[in-house]
Amino acid sequence: MKKGLTNINGNYYYFDNSGVMATNQKNINGNWYMFNDQGIMQTGFVHIPSQGKTVYYSKDKDKLGQMLYGQKNINGRWYNFDTYDGAMKTGFVYIPSQNKTVYYDENQSTLGQMKYGFQNINGKMYYFDTFDGSMKTGQKNINGNWYMFDDKGVMKVGFVTIPSQNKTVYYSEDKAKLGQMQYGKTGIKGKTYYFDTFDGAMAVGEKKIDNHMYLFDSKGIMQIGFHDLDGGKRTVYYSEAKSNYGQMLYGNQVINGKNYYFDSTTGAMRKGILVLDKANHTLSYVTNEGTVAKNMRYKIDNVEYIFNVAGVLEHSQGEANIAGNWYLFGDNNHVLIGFQTLKDGRKVYYSTDSGQMQFGQRNIDGHWYMFDTFNGAMKTGFVNIPEQNKTVYYAANGQMQYGKQNIDGHWYLFNTFDGAMYKGWLMSGNDWYYYNQQNGQLQTGSAVINGVGYNFDGNGKQILNYSIDYRYALPAGKGDDETAANNYIILHDVGVESGAAANARYFHDTVDTNEAYVTFVVGDGGKVYQVGRPGQVSWGAGRVANHNAPVQIELGRTYNSGQFWQDYVTYVRLARDMAGKYGIPLTLDAGGAGTRGIKSHYWVTKNIWGDHVDPYGYLSRFGVTQAKLAHDLLYGV
């Protein structure tokens, strides 16, 4: 007699310990099995009507016939069976261990199968990830299109406001592209909207699209017809024609049988204004009612003018002042524009936009011109513009000039940005040039500037009465990059028994660690070594003095009398040269803090900050007193 699971002719049966064959459900060794009325063990999906559930009994050899629980992949499809009674789950199911909600089909043909992609469930659209079946919520980009799903996974359609992105978008309601975010011009229920081509944001207010202006109301609906903008200051018109539907119109337009004129730049409807027809070079007049005067006589500022059937103002040849503006008429009522030479020899300019004579500064085709404010005559030569505090130069063709210019045999320099004439000293590389403060001419030959005599070669370069060695000059990015105020020239001596080159090299090599250097070091027999750049702050006398001294000079020491006097002469010459260039008085140690002039480090100590007394101690070694130094700085050596 057989007991337990027994294979008979390919079917499995179960006989208990008494040899009785099992039917219906049977728990064997902790696992549930199902046997039919003939005792044959069941496998696969089995519906149990009495319990109102469908379960699955394994077909795998190692657990053949056992009821399965949890998530199972059967024939390439995922199912979920209750972990308590094995009942197949259908509908929406949340799986805590995977933190996702999925959907198992409720249709009998695919009952219990996990669904993927777009699914219509009870008339609502959902989307389930194509990899793990997780239901999506929020914004989702699917196959290059953006969709929106609410917190229950239902696809949204129509207008949706997204507060976190401060925008309203539209998800299509058409079956062919259901739920897809829309871009560009979109017709919705007979009305036109515009959605940004980048992020889909619905446009409201004025919007420039493909170089045309449109208007959308607060609900995003494209507007047509007349509209007041800018608080009623501007009336514009948006086309009602299919060919340019919704576009702002400009120039002459016929609307409902009436002629109107709209500004060519702003689109504002013009009233009480003469308008130039740029194509035909004729004048028309827009009345105070906004319509173009045609086939009538019409008074403008109490002067009567004739307008023909085409709306053209009829006028004889020559100049005409109409409503306070000058125009120039040629043949057949044509208005002349651009540059014109009048009978009295004046060269004037009539605007290509309005036909009116121009006055003052005007930029024409990228060039600046100046026209007399009284008669419009184009100006040439040097012109002072007081309100801009500059002098400029207009060439024979009337165009403002820039850069270096030779005018009547003299060189001038004009700013490349605004054309302002340059005056004063100019440092180019390591060379100095001077443009006369009175007339702007590049100086050549000899000149006394700020009490100092200077010599210049034929090209305007200063001829120094000393030479400069640049081997220890700080490179760009080293030292201070601030510009000093032009108040002091500060004189030092090195304070130790060493020459100029050694100190210049020390400043150059230790600027980052010791944070000390000056502009020039003089010595070694009348040599000048540059360290800092003239005009910039150097670090030799404390913060306040440093920021008020465009030049600081160190004097190297020596015991050789002959060398000293070579050094001293150069020391004085350099100080006078730099004082003259920066417009600093040649007085020595005059007044207190804030009094401009040449200052010793000793003066800085007494009046501003510090404990140095140089250069007087060293100078006295060779009989140079403060009075002598002051005399030599004032009158030269």
Side-chain angles (χ1 to χ4, degrees):
M1 183 176 64
K2 291 289 187 180
K3 297 180 182 180
L5 287 173
T6 302
N7 187 329
I8 305 172
N9 298 324
N11 292 316
Y12 281 88
Y13 300 79
Y14 181 77
F15 300 94
D16 64 17
N17 289 333
S18 301
V20 176
M21 182 179 71
T23 59
N24 210 334
Q25 295 180 83
K26 182 73 175 179
N27 192 300
I28 304 170
N29 298 326
N31 291 299
W32 285 99
Y33 295 80
M34 173 66 81
F35 302 93
N36 66 12
D37 292 343
Q38 287 77 42
I40 299 172
M41 184 176 71
Q42 303 296 290
T43 60
F45 293 102
V46 175
H47 182 66
I48 306 175
S50 62
Q51 297 180 29
K53 67 180 181 181
T54 297
V55 298
Y56 185 81
Y57 297 101
S58 178
K59 295 183 179 181
D60 296 339
K61 290 182 178 180
D62 57 340
K63 45 187 173 182
L64 189 67
Q66 295 177 9
M67 183 185 290
L68 298 184
Y69 304 87
Q71 296 181 80
K72 298 298 177 185
N73 191 301
I74 302 170
N75 298 326
R77 301 282 186 176
W78 282 99
Y79 296 81
N80 198 332
F81 301 94
D82 190 275
T83 55
Y84 173 69
D85 66 359
M88 177 195 289
K89 293 188 177 185
T90 59
F92 293 98
V93 175
Y94 177 67
I95 304 174
S97 62
Q98 297 179 34
N99 190 30
K100 67 180 181 181
T101 296
V102 298
Y103 180 76
Y104 297 103
D105 205 347
E106 298 176 85
N107 294 318
Q108 289 300 315
S109 60
T110 52
L111 190 67
Q113 293 180 7
M114 183 185 288
K115 306 303 287 184
Y116 303 88
F118 288 104
Q119 298 293 329
N120 188 323
I121 303 171
N122 298 324
K124 297 177 180 179
M125 290 297 297
Y126 299 79
Y127 183 79
F128 301 93
D129 191 276
T130 55
F131 174 69
D132 66 359
S134 57
M135 182 182 74
K136 296 304 176 184
T137 60
Q139 297 179 82
K140 179 73 176 176
N141 191 299
I142 304 169
N143 298 327
N145 291 297
W146 283 100
Y147 296 80
M148 173 70 84
F149 303 91
D150 66 17
D151 57 359
K152 295 182 179 179
V154 178
M155 177 194 288
K156 290 194 172 187
V157 295
F159 293 97
V160 175
T161 296
I162 306 175
S164 62
Q165 297 179 34
N166 191 31
K167 67 180 181 181
T168 295
V169 299
Y170 180 76
Y171 297 101
S172 178
E173 298 174 81
D174 295 339
K175 289 183 179 180
K177 47 187 175 181
L178 189 68
Q180 294 178 6
M181 184 185 287
Q182 299 301 288
Y183 303 89
K185 286 183 184 178
T186 304
I188 302 171
K189 297 178 181 177
K191 296 177 180 178
T192 302
Y193 299 78
Y194 183 82
F195 302 96
D196 190 272
T197 55
F198 174 70
D199 66 359
M202 182 181 74
V204 295
E206 291 186 273
K207 180 76 174 177
K208 190 172 186 178
I209 304 168
D210 297 331
N211 291 320
H212 294 286
M213 293 301 299
Y214 295 82
L215 181 66
F216 302 89
D217 68 12
S218 60
K219 295 180 180 179
I221 300 172
M222 182 187 289
Q223 302 298 290
I224 56 174
F226 289 100
H227 285 273
D228 290 328
L229 304 179
D230 303 335
K233 296 179 181 178
R234 181 163 57 114
T235 298
V236 299
Y237 181 78
Y238 297 97
S239 176
E240 300 175 70
K242 290 183 178 180
S243 59
N244 55 358
Y245 190 73
Q247 293 178 9
M248 182 185 287
L249 299 186
Y250 304 88
N252 285 305
Q253 300 291 336
V254 178
I255 302 170
N256 297 327
K258 295 182 179 179
N259 284 82
Y260 296 85
Y261 181 82
F262 301 92
D263 188 270
S264 59
T265 301
T266 66
M269 184 173 73
R270 307 305 296 270
K271 297 180 180 181
I273 187 173
L274 278 167
V275 175
L276 176 69
D277 184 327
K278 295 181 182 180
N280 298 313
H281 293 183
T282 57
L283 285 178
S284 298
Y285 187 75
V286 183
T287 69
N288 291 328
E289 292 74 38
T291 57
V292 177
K294 284 187 176 184
N295 197 26
M296 66 170 67
R297 294 175 179 271
Y298 196 90
K299 283 187 176 183
I300 303 173
D301 286 357
N302 292 320
V303 178
E304 189 173 78
Y305 297 91
I306 298 173
F307 295 90
N308 64 24
V309 293
V312 173
L313 185 153
E314 296 185 347
H315 204 285
S316 58
Q317 292 183 13
E319 292 184 89
N321 190 306
I322 304 174
N325 292 298
W326 285 97
Y327 299 85
L328 183 63
F329 287 89
D331 296 335
N332 300 320
N333 304 315
H334 283 173
V335 176
L336 303 181
I337 59 174
F339 288 100
Q340 301 290 334
T341 301
L342 304 181
K343 291 181 179 179
D344 59 6
R346 282 178 294 148
K347 188 171 184 178
V348 297
Y349 183 79
Y350 295 95
S351 170
T352 56
D353 289 324
S354 65
Q356 298 170 1
M357 181 185 288
Q358 300 298 288
F359 303 88
Q361 295 182 81
R362 289 288 181 269
N363 192 298
I364 302 170
D365 297 329
H367 296 283
W368 283 101
Y369 297 79
M370 174 71 83
F371 301 94
D372 189 275
T373 54
F374 175 69
N375 64 13
M378 183 182 79
K379 293 193 176 186
T380 59
F382 294 100
V383 176
N384 181 46
I385 307 176
E387 64 272 18
Q388 296 181 31
N389 190 30
K390 68 180 182 181
T391 296
V392 298
Y393 182 78
Y394 298 99
N397 62 3
Q399 295 176 4
M400 182 185 288
Q401 300 300 290
Y402 304 89
K404 198 171 182 180
Q405 300 289 331
N406 191 303
I407 302 169
D408 297 330
H410 295 284
W411 285 102
Y412 298 81
L413 184 64
F414 300 94
N415 188 288
T416 55
F417 173 69
D418 65 357
M421 177 193 289
Y422 188 87
K423 294 180 180 181
W425 285 96
L426 175 69
M427 189 177 187
S428 177
N430 291 320
D431 296 321
W432 287 90
Y433 299 83
Y434 181 75
Y435 291 90
N436 191 283
Q437 286 283 10
Q438 281 67 49
N439 57 26
Q441 294 176 2
L442 178 65
Q443 187 69 52
T444 58
S446 299
V448 176
I449 303 168
N450 295 326
V452 181
Y454 293 91
N455 293 300
F456 303 89
D457 67 15
N459 294 318
K461 184 173 75 171
Q462 181 193 358
I463 302 171
L464 299 175
N465 53 5
Y466 55 88
S467 61
I468 301 177
D469 189 320
Y470 297 99
R471 76 183 74 180
Y472 303 118
L474 294 177
K478 290 288 187 180
D480 205 305
D481 60 358
E482 288 192 57
T483 300
N486 298 334
N487 291 321
Y488 310 139
I489 301 293
I490 300 178
L491 301 180
H492 307 259
D493 79 73
V494 297
V496 294
E497 303 307 321
S498 63
N503 278 275
R505 182 172 59 249
Y506 175 78
F507 286 139
H508 176 276
D509 294 346
T510 65
V511 63
D512 291 331
T513 54
N514 289 323
E515 296 184 344
Y517 71 97
V518 293
T519 316
F520 298 103
V521 183
V522 176
D524 299 346
K527 296 179 179 179
V528 178
Y529 297 92
Q530 181 172 316
V531 181
R533 187 164 181 82
Q536 291 180 318
V537 171
S538 55
W539 302 331
R543 178 175 176 79
V544 173
N546 292 342
H547 280 77
N548 283 277
V551 173
Q552 298 191 50
I553 307 170
E554 289 273 8
L555 177 61
R557 289 192 176 190
T558 180
Y559 286 105
N560 184 295
S561 176
Q563 180 178 323
F564 169 80
W565 289 108
Q566 288 178 310
D567 296 345
Y568 177 74
V569 168
T570 302
Y571 189 55
V572 171
R573 286 177 174 176
L574 177 61
R576 282 172 53 81
D577 181 12
M578 293 298 158
K581 285 171 177 169
Y582 290 101
I584 295 173
L586 296 171
T587 53
L588 176 65
D589 289 352
T595 303
R596 300 175 71 242
I598 301 175
K599 310 296 183 182
S600 67
H601 202 170
Y602 177 57
W603 178 92
V604 173
T605 296
K606 290 198 303 179
N607 292 278
I608 300 177
W609 174 87
D611 58 2
H612 290 241
V613 296
D614 54 314
Y616 295 124
Y618 172 63
L619 294 177
S620 65
R621 180 186 296 177
F622 297 94
V624 176
T625 64
Q626 182 178 6
K628 176 175 173 51
L629 178 60
H631 175 276
D632 293 343
L633 288 170
L634 187 59
Y635 299 106
V637 292

